[in-house]
Amino acid sequence: KKSKKSKKSKQEKKEKKPKRDKPKEGSDASAAKIEQAPVNTEQNTTRQVFSLHLTKVPYEATQTDIRCAFSEKGCYVTSVRLVYDRKANGERNFRGVAFVDLGDEASFQKGL
């Protein structure tokens, strides 16, 4: 036997779910939704990332130091990431490794 409690909970679940009206295929409602959807081709284009992997970076160096060094040479720097090790006590130690992302191929060639 099923208890009355389980029947009520099933009915409550049905009542909580909102019913969605699905337009029939080929109806004007579905065609209108498709026509109203904006098409943004700029958003779908992929942008190439130019990234340099730096090793033997001085331990005293900061992101700002690295960004300034590349900017002085005429490179368009989009981001700088320093690589750290984490110890058991939560302390972070700089490993002397960094990644520099550049905005264009000309900056990439200058950075090499």
Side-chain angles (χ1 to χ4, degrees), residues 18-44:
K19 292 183 179 179
R20 295 183 182 178
D21 295 331
K22 294 182 182 178
K24 295 178 183 177
E25 287 186 32
S27 69
D28 293 332
S30 63
K33 287 182 183 178
I34 293 170
E35 289 174 14
Q36 292 175 359
V39 177
N40 187 357
T41 56
E42 292 176 17
Q43 194 174 32
N44 296 334

Short mmCIF file of all heavy atoms in Angstrom, two decimals, residues 18-44:
data_model
loop_
_atom_site.label_atom_id
_atom_site.label_comp_id
_atom_site.label_asym_id
_atom_site.label_seq_id
_atom_site.Cartn_x
_atom_site.Cartn_y
_atom_site.Cartn_z
N PRO A 18 5.46 24.80 -13.44
CA PRO A 18 4.66 25.62 -14.35
C PRO A 18 4.57 24.94 -15.71
O PRO A 18 5.53 24.36 -16.20
CB PRO A 18 5.45 26.93 -14.46
CG PRO A 18 6.85 26.54 -14.14
CD PRO A 18 6.75 25.38 -13.18
N LYS A 19 3.40 25.04 -16.28
CA LYS A 19 3.21 24.45 -17.61
C LYS A 19 3.67 25.45 -18.65
O LYS A 19 3.38 26.62 -18.58
CB LYS A 19 1.73 24.12 -17.83
CG LYS A 19 1.24 23.00 -16.95
CD LYS A 19 -0.20 22.66 -17.26
CE LYS A 19 -0.70 21.53 -16.39
NZ LYS A 19 -2.09 21.20 -16.67
N ARG A 20 4.42 24.95 -19.60
CA ARG A 20 4.91 25.80 -20.68
C ARG A 20 4.14 25.45 -21.94
O ARG A 20 4.02 24.29 -22.31
CB ARG A 20 6.40 25.57 -20.92
CG ARG A 20 7.23 25.99 -19.75
CD ARG A 20 8.69 25.82 -20.04
NE ARG A 20 9.47 26.19 -18.89
CZ ARG A 20 10.77 26.11 -18.84
NH1 ARG A 20 11.45 25.68 -19.87
NH2 ARG A 20 11.41 26.47 -17.76
N ASP A 21 3.68 26.48 -22.59
CA ASP A 21 2.99 26.28 -23.85
C ASP A 21 4.04 26.19 -24.95
O ASP A 21 4.79 27.14 -25.19
CB ASP A 21 2.02 27.43 -24.14
CG ASP A 21 0.89 27.46 -23.12
OD1 ASP A 21 0.54 26.37 -22.61
OD2 ASP A 21 0.38 28.55 -22.84
N LYS A 22 4.10 25.07 -25.60
CA LYS A 22 5.04 24.89 -26.70
C LYS A 22 4.31 25.16 -28.01
O LYS A 22 3.28 24.55 -28.28
CB LYS A 22 5.60 23.47 -26.71
CG LYS A 22 6.46 23.16 -25.51
CD LYS A 22 7.02 21.76 -25.60
CE LYS A 22 7.83 21.42 -24.39
NZ LYS A 22 8.34 20.05 -24.43
N PRO A 23 4.83 26.08 -28.81
CA PRO A 23 4.18 26.31 -30.10
C PRO A 23 4.41 25.12 -31.02
O PRO A 23 5.43 24.45 -30.96
CB PRO A 23 4.88 27.56 -30.65
CG PRO A 23 6.17 27.65 -29.91
CD PRO A 23 5.95 26.96 -28.59
N LYS A 24 3.43 24.87 -31.83
CA LYS A 24 3.53 23.77 -32.78
C LYS A 24 4.54 24.13 -33.85
O LYS A 24 4.75 25.30 -34.16
CB LYS A 24 2.17 23.51 -33.42
CG LYS A 24 1.14 23.03 -32.44
CD LYS A 24 -0.20 22.83 -33.13
CE LYS A 24 -1.27 22.40 -32.14
NZ LYS A 24 -2.57 22.27 -32.78
N GLU A 25 5.18 23.11 -34.39
CA GLU A 25 6.16 23.34 -35.46
C GLU A 25 5.48 24.02 -36.63
O GLU A 25 4.38 23.65 -37.03
CB GLU A 25 6.77 22.02 -35.91
CG GLU A 25 7.73 21.44 -34.91
CD GLU A 25 8.42 20.21 -35.44
OE1 GLU A 25 8.65 20.13 -36.66
OE2 GLU A 25 8.72 19.34 -34.63
N GLY A 26 6.18 25.01 -37.18
CA GLY A 26 5.64 25.70 -38.34
C GLY A 26 4.66 26.79 -37.97
O GLY A 26 4.12 27.45 -38.83
N SER A 27 4.38 26.99 -36.69
CA SER A 27 3.43 28.03 -36.32
C SER A 27 4.10 29.39 -36.37
O SER A 27 5.32 29.51 -36.35
CB SER A 27 2.88 27.77 -34.91
OG SER A 27 3.89 27.97 -33.96
N ASP A 28 3.31 30.43 -36.41
CA ASP A 28 3.83 31.79 -36.50
C ASP A 28 4.58 32.18 -35.24
O ASP A 28 5.52 32.97 -35.29
CB ASP A 28 2.68 32.77 -36.74
CG ASP A 28 2.05 32.56 -38.11
OD1 ASP A 28 2.75 32.09 -39.02
OD2 ASP A 28 0.86 32.86 -38.25
N ALA A 29 4.20 31.64 -34.09
CA ALA A 29 4.84 32.00 -32.82
C ALA A 29 6.30 31.58 -32.81
O ALA A 29 7.17 32.33 -32.40
CB ALA A 29 4.10 31.37 -31.65
N SER A 30 6.60 30.37 -33.26
CA SER A 30 7.99 29.91 -33.25
C SER A 30 8.81 30.65 -34.29
O SER A 30 9.97 30.95 -34.08
CB SER A 30 8.07 28.40 -33.48
OG SER A 30 7.56 28.07 -34.75
N ALA A 31 8.23 30.98 -35.42
CA ALA A 31 8.94 31.71 -36.45
C ALA A 31 9.26 33.13 -35.99
O ALA A 31 10.33 33.65 -36.26
CB ALA A 31 8.11 31.76 -37.73
N ALA A 32 8.35 33.74 -35.23
CA ALA A 32 8.57 35.09 -34.73
C ALA A 32 9.72 35.11 -33.75
O ALA A 32 10.52 36.04 -33.74
CB ALA A 32 7.30 35.62 -34.08
N LYS A 33 9.84 34.09 -32.92
CA LYS A 33 10.93 34.04 -31.95
C LYS A 33 12.27 33.94 -32.66
O LYS A 33 13.23 34.55 -32.26
CB LYS A 33 10.75 32.85 -31.00
CG LYS A 33 9.65 33.06 -29.99
CD LYS A 33 9.55 31.88 -29.06
CE LYS A 33 8.40 32.05 -28.10
NZ LYS A 33 8.25 30.90 -27.22
N ILE A 34 12.34 33.18 -33.70
CA ILE A 34 13.59 33.02 -34.43
C ILE A 34 13.97 34.31 -35.13
O ILE A 34 15.12 34.72 -35.09
CB ILE A 34 13.48 31.86 -35.45
CG1 ILE A 34 13.34 30.54 -34.70
CG2 ILE A 34 14.69 31.83 -36.36
CD1 ILE A 34 13.01 29.37 -35.58
N GLU A 35 13.01 34.99 -35.71
CA GLU A 35 13.29 36.23 -36.42
C GLU A 35 13.72 37.34 -35.48
O GLU A 35 14.51 38.19 -35.84
CB GLU A 35 12.05 36.67 -37.21
CG GLU A 35 11.76 35.78 -38.40
CD GLU A 35 10.45 36.13 -39.08
OE1 GLU A 35 9.91 37.21 -38.81
OE2 GLU A 35 9.98 35.33 -39.89
N GLN A 36 13.23 37.34 -34.25
CA GLN A 36 13.54 38.39 -33.30
C GLN A 36 14.89 38.21 -32.63
O GLN A 36 15.41 39.13 -32.03
CB GLN A 36 12.46 38.47 -32.22
CG GLN A 36 11.13 38.96 -32.75
CD GLN A 36 10.06 38.91 -31.68
OE1 GLN A 36 10.31 38.49 -30.56
NE2 GLN A 36 8.86 39.33 -32.03
N ALA A 37 15.48 37.04 -32.73
CA ALA A 37 16.77 36.78 -32.09
C ALA A 37 17.85 37.62 -32.77
O ALA A 37 18.02 37.55 -33.98
CB ALA A 37 17.11 35.30 -32.17
N PRO A 38 18.58 38.43 -31.99
CA PRO A 38 19.62 39.25 -32.60
C PRO A 38 20.82 38.40 -32.99
O PRO A 38 21.16 37.44 -32.32
CB PRO A 38 20.00 40.23 -31.48
CG PRO A 38 19.65 39.51 -30.23
CD PRO A 38 18.46 38.65 -30.57
N VAL A 39 21.45 38.77 -34.09
CA VAL A 39 22.62 38.05 -34.57
C VAL A 39 23.82 38.94 -34.33
O VAL A 39 23.89 40.05 -34.85
CB VAL A 39 22.49 37.71 -36.07
CG1 VAL A 39 23.75 37.02 -36.57
CG2 VAL A 39 21.27 36.85 -36.30
N ASN A 40 24.76 38.47 -33.53
CA ASN A 40 25.96 39.22 -33.22
C ASN A 40 27.16 38.42 -33.69
O ASN A 40 27.62 37.53 -33.01
CB ASN A 40 26.04 39.50 -31.71
CG ASN A 40 27.18 40.43 -31.37
OD1 ASN A 40 27.95 40.82 -32.23
ND2 ASN A 40 27.29 40.78 -30.11
N THR A 41 27.67 38.75 -34.85
CA THR A 41 28.78 37.98 -35.41
C THR A 41 30.09 38.30 -34.73
O THR A 41 30.99 37.48 -34.69
CB THR A 41 28.91 38.23 -36.92
OG1 THR A 41 29.05 39.64 -37.14
CG2 THR A 41 27.71 37.70 -37.67
N GLU A 42 30.24 39.50 -34.16
CA GLU A 42 31.48 39.88 -33.49
C GLU A 42 31.73 38.99 -32.28
O GLU A 42 32.86 38.67 -31.96
CB GLU A 42 31.43 41.34 -33.06
CG GLU A 42 31.44 42.31 -34.23
CD GLU A 42 31.29 43.73 -33.77
OE1 GLU A 42 31.49 44.01 -32.58
OE2 GLU A 42 30.96 44.58 -34.60
N GLN A 43 30.69 38.61 -31.59
CA GLN A 43 30.82 37.82 -30.38
C GLN A 43 31.27 36.39 -30.70
O GLN A 43 31.93 35.76 -29.90
CB GLN A 43 29.48 37.79 -29.65
CG GLN A 43 29.56 37.29 -28.23
CD GLN A 43 28.23 37.42 -27.54
OE1 GLN A 43 27.19 37.30 -28.16
NE2 GLN A 43 28.25 37.65 -26.26
N ASN A 44 30.95 35.88 -31.87
CA ASN A 44 31.28 34.52 -32.23
C ASN A 44 32.69 34.36 -32.79
O ASN A 44 33.14 33.25 -32.97
CB ASN A 44 30.26 33.99 -33.25
CG ASN A 44 28.87 33.92 -32.67
OD1 ASN A 44 28.71 33.80 -31.47
ND2 ASN A 44 27.87 34.00 -33.52
#
